[in-house]
Amino acid sequence: MTPEAERKMQFLFALRSRGVTDKSVLHAMETVDRAAFIRHYFTDRAYEDMPLPIACGQTISQPSVVGLMTQALKVSSRDKVLEVGTGSGYQAAVLSQLARRVYTVDRHMRLVREAREVFDGMGLVNITAFTADGSHGLPDQAPFDRIIVTAAAEDPPGPLLAQLKIGGIMVLPVGQSDAVQRLIRVTRSETGFDYDELRPVRFVPLVEGLGRDS
């Protein structure tokens, strides 16, 4: 077995041991090379289950959290997905393996530009990335079958709830940025919204407006 194959096998084993058991999600994460989304001297740690720093003071989430959030989203091949918080682009790339279409937004123009370069290099043609205030969602493309938010708000933002289809699912962290947050799943029904609490997490806060580099 080559070192690369062994590293991939250990990566998948770590994901399974932390609760990522959906075969389609595991296959998507095996397909997408996390190292492509990490710059400079952190690339040799790409397959470790830990968050790593990226540009604009942001982080790339640890793989097990990406896997658990993706799994909770229950994405099908017919779904149109909105991601709020492009970051490195890794989460969007994983989603692109599962969904019909992925729209991803970030307030930092540099992150969107760099993520687009990686998407293009990988031939991921079903992702569209925007520089925008993600707390407002993407009204022009709504409604969405699935919404994933990779930054923590105190409560699920109203505009995002409004852009979720009936029967749609949103997964996001909620809570104060300086305290332990909870990952929740919101399912929209004909009569309102149902909330499931999934696990404790820690994310950067969801900030309104565009980043200074924009």
Side-chain angles (χ1 to χ4, degrees), residues 152-155 173-182:
E154 288 193 34
D155 297 293
V174 294
Q176 300 284 351
S177 60
D178 57 351
V180 174
Q181 304 145 0
R182 306 294 297 181

Side-chain angles (χ1 to χ4, degrees), residues 39 110-123:
R39 304 284 168 133
R110 176 183 172 182
L111 294 180
V112 171
R113 184 178 66 248
E114 291 180 354
R116 280 178 182 153
E117 290 171 1
V118 182
F119 299 153
D120 289 345
M122 289 182 160

Side-chain angles (χ1 to χ4, degrees), residues 93-109:
V94 170
L95 289 167
S96 77
Q97 306 297 305
L98 303 164
R100 176 174 59 86
R101 189 88 209 155
V102 178
Y103 293 90
T104 181
V105 299
D106 201 286
R107 61 193 294 269
H108 293 287
M109 186 181 292

Side-chain angles (χ1 to χ4, degrees), residues 130-147:
F130 297 90
T131 304
D133 181 347
S135 62
H136 298 301
L138 281 177
D140 292 348
Q141 301 297 336
F144 296 95
D145 301 288
R146 301 289 186 268
I147 298 176

